[in-house]
Amino acid sequence: MKHKVKIEPAGLEFEAEEFDSILEAAEKAGIDFPYRCRQGVCTACVCINKNGGKVSYGDMPPVITPDEEEKGYTFCCIGHALSDLVLYHPNIEK
Ligand code: FES
């Protein structure tokens, strides 16, 4: 199933299949999305979830503090969109 992903503040939008990570879906859409490890460790791909959209990590959830979870930290390299998402990342450009 596909979901819409919006990136703020760049105003980019793309569709993400549930079987793709959010990072993979962004790359398929030609978006220059930041990443390094692609394993949920380095935080280069971390966005803030602004709409409370659903993200699944399967059985490999990232290691984050309750505070980071509260703030909506979303690891796009290992996270899969399960609903429409609005994500904030200051370093993604149009
Ligand atoms: S690319 Fe390193 S945590 Fe996502």
Side-chain angles (χ1 to χ4, degrees):
M1 199 174 168
K2 280 185 187 176
H3 303 288
K4 274 199 187 124
V5 181
K6 214 174 169 182
I7 305 289
E8 292 179 342
L12 296 168
E13 225 175 290
F14 58 95
E15 290 199 322
E17 293 278 7
E18 288 187 358
F19 55 76
D20 280 330
S21 69
I22 299 165
L23 172 61
E24 288 165 342
E27 289 175 331
K28 283 184 182 174
I31 292 169
D32 189 11
F33 205 98
Y35 71 89
R36 283 201 300 274
C37 69
R38 301 183 85 101
Q39 292 176 30
V41 177
C42 76
T43 73
C45 68
V46 168
C47 291
I48 303 293
N49 184 341
K50 300 292 269 185
N51 70 333
K54 279 196 188 139
V55 175
S56 166
Y57 297 107
D59 53 7
M60 289 270 294
V63 180
I64 56 175
T65 66
D67 186 49
E68 289 167 342
E69 190 164 350
E70 171 103 349
K71 285 181 182 149
Y73 278 37
T74 302
F75 285 69
C76 294
C77 64
I78 55 170
H80 299 250
L82 295 189
S83 71
D84 290 353
L85 297 173
V86 179
L87 301 174
Y88 176 86
H89 195 304
N91 300 331
I92 297 176
E93 292 172 5
K94 263 191 185 177

